[in-house]
Amino acid sequence: MRKKNMQFWYFLIHGLLDDKNGVYGNFYAYGKHCGEALEKTLEVAKLNGIQKPDLIETSRLDTLDGFELPEETEKVTSDIYMFPKLHSYELKKNDYSFVPPVGVAFATDESELDTELIKEKFVALNKNDNGVFEFELVVDKSKLHDTFLKTLNFLPSVDAFWIYLKDHWDNEETELWAGKALNDKETIVNFLNRNVASTIENGFVDTVVHSFTGETNLTLTEHKKIQLHTKSEDVFKNFIGKVVDLGFEQTKDFYDIEFGYHHWHYRPENSLDRKGFKKMLKKNHFENIELKI
């Protein structure tokens, strides 16, 4: 099951059949990278009756020795195979299943924890030995973009913006890029909105917004969690209050895809590759900052 210069992926897709029934479908797809294969799959899923399709689980298959497609799969396009039978179920009021944000997905390997434990909630930790208050918020696919931009505006002021390119992106070293021209809320939000697929939806980057007040960092991590670290108790309390106003609840039983769950990172089809991303950063006056090992 190999094609030259192509990866081969399995996707478990969830969506709706209609307003009363949910549905799962199993797909196999070729693409130059996971996001490209996924985009092809989502289009095929729609054509086969799955409304509002979302990626739940995935696994890369072309790296496995001796993998063969199950006999019941059917070839849908030159790059897509699927199980012809979809698995539907009746929707129930107040049913909730966490949908991973774009950029990260559960793996098919059995995880230590049940995915049903993950909820859209936050944890707030008191000042640690370094004098830092910590906050983490889990948000699913449908709300992450808007929620992160709203939390950015909860900061008292903004004076710096950084992007970390993680080492598992093309197996290169982690890089830190500082946006020299992005030092206020408006310019940072505009930059993110122009480059959503390559930043907010990219599972290979951390984006960090900094405020001198309380040495505060607001981070959207590669696992698509929203984190706040600050030495200012006022910033901390004000931030939490506004997050609560958005409808999120605090919990002591905090679960997220980073810990206890096998998972994959990917970037969307319409995102820049690593080389193109760095070229774009340079055009926007970002500077590569040397990281001390």
Side-chain angles (χ1 to χ4, degrees):
M1 298 306 302
R2 287 181 171 84
K3 283 188 178 183
K4 188 176 181 180
N5 299 322
M6 298 283 269
Q7 298 176 1
F8 192 50
W9 290 84
Y10 163 78
F11 298 114
L12 176 64
I13 302 297
H14 175 263
L16 300 174
L17 279 182
D18 49 45
D19 59 358
K20 295 182 179 180
N21 295 281
V23 64
Y24 287 93
N26 296 274
F27 297 83
Y28 299 82
Y30 287 101
K32 293 180 181 178
H33 59 91
C34 179
E36 182 183 87
L38 174 61
E39 187 62 27
K40 297 176 186 177
T41 299
L42 295 176
E43 290 303 314
V44 168
K46 292 175 186 176
L47 292 174
N48 282 271
I50 301 180
Q51 303 172 28
K52 299 180 179 179
D54 289 315
L55 171 61
I56 304 299
E57 292 183 359
T58 189
S59 182
R60 185 174 175 181
L61 304 174
D62 59 291
T63 56
L64 303 179
D65 291 332
F67 174 79
E68 294 184 5
L69 278 171
E71 291 184 2
E72 58 266 42
T73 55
E74 293 183 356
K75 190 172 185 178
V76 184
T77 72
S78 60
D79 289 333
I80 307 289
Y81 299 80
M82 67 176 288
F83 283 7
K85 183 178 180 180
L86 301 176
H87 301 276
S88 62
Y89 65 96
E90 184 179 355
L91 295 171
K92 295 181 180 179
K93 189 176 181 180
N94 299 323
D95 267 1
Y96 175 78
S97 294
F98 177 74
V99 177
V102 176
V104 65
F106 295 110
T108 55
D109 306 86
E110 186 174 352
S111 293
E112 176 185 344
L113 300 172
D114 193 319
T115 58
E116 292 183 0
L117 293 171
I118 301 180
K119 307 293 184 184
E120 287 189 302
K121 294 187 178 184
F122 69 86
V123 63
L125 304 178
N126 213 335
K127 185 165 54 176
N128 61 24
D129 292 341
N130 295 317
V132 177
F133 296 91
E134 299 179 54
F135 168 98
E136 290 191 324
L137 171 65
V138 166
V139 185
D140 79 3
K141 176 186 174 183
S142 64
K143 299 178 185 175
L144 181 66
H145 180 178
D146 289 344
T147 300
F148 180 61
L149 296 186
K150 286 177 181 177
T151 59
L152 191 159
N153 280 301
F154 296 164
L155 300 179
S157 62
V158 165
D159 36 61
F161 180 64
W162 310 313
I163 296 179
Y164 287 89
L165 282 61
K166 309 301 285 189
D167 57 4
H168 57 96
W169 190 1
D170 294 342
N171 294 316
E172 297 186 15
E173 293 183 355
T174 295
E175 297 179 58
L176 170 60
W177 290 77
K180 296 294 186 179
L182 304 180
N183 52 17
D184 62 71
K185 294 178 182 179
E186 183 178 1
T187 56
I188 293 171
V189 169
N190 288 341
F191 172 82
L192 290 171
N193 279 329
R194 289 196 309 270
N195 299 282
V196 173
S198 295
T199 56
I200 291 175
E201 295 181 342
N202 187 342
F204 298 112
V205 302
D206 287 346
T207 57
V208 184
V209 182
H210 178 74
S211 172
F212 281 133
T213 305
E215 300 177 38
T216 301
N217 285 335
L218 174 68
T219 305
L220 179 62
T221 75
E222 60 182 315
H223 294 95
K224 305 309 164 190
K225 283 187 298 184
I226 297 173
Q227 296 180 334
L228 182 81
H229 295 86
T230 182
K231 291 184 176 180
S232 168
E233 187 170 0
D234 288 340
V235 169
F236 189 60
K237 289 182 176 179
N238 180 68
F239 187 90
I240 291 173
K242 291 184 176 180
V243 168
V244 170
D245 289 342
L246 292 179
F248 295 102
E249 297 179 354
Q250 186 174 4
T251 183
K252 292 182 179 179
D253 299 318
F254 186 76
Y255 299 92
D256 67 89
I257 199 169
E258 181 177 4
F259 299 107
Y261 300 92
H262 296 291
H263 59 273
W264 287 88
H265 296 256
Y266 68 95
R267 62 180 179 87
E269 179 191 34
N270 58 338
S271 64
L272 296 169
D273 62 17
R274 185 163 180 146
K275 182 178 180 180
F277 188 64
K278 290 193 286 186
K279 184 177 180 180
M280 179 274 291
L281 292 178
K282 291 176 182 177
K283 284 186 177 180
N284 283 274
H285 310 293
F286 278 72
E287 180 182 347
N288 187 205
I289 307 298
E290 184 178 354
L291 293 171
K292 295 181 180 179
I293 300 176

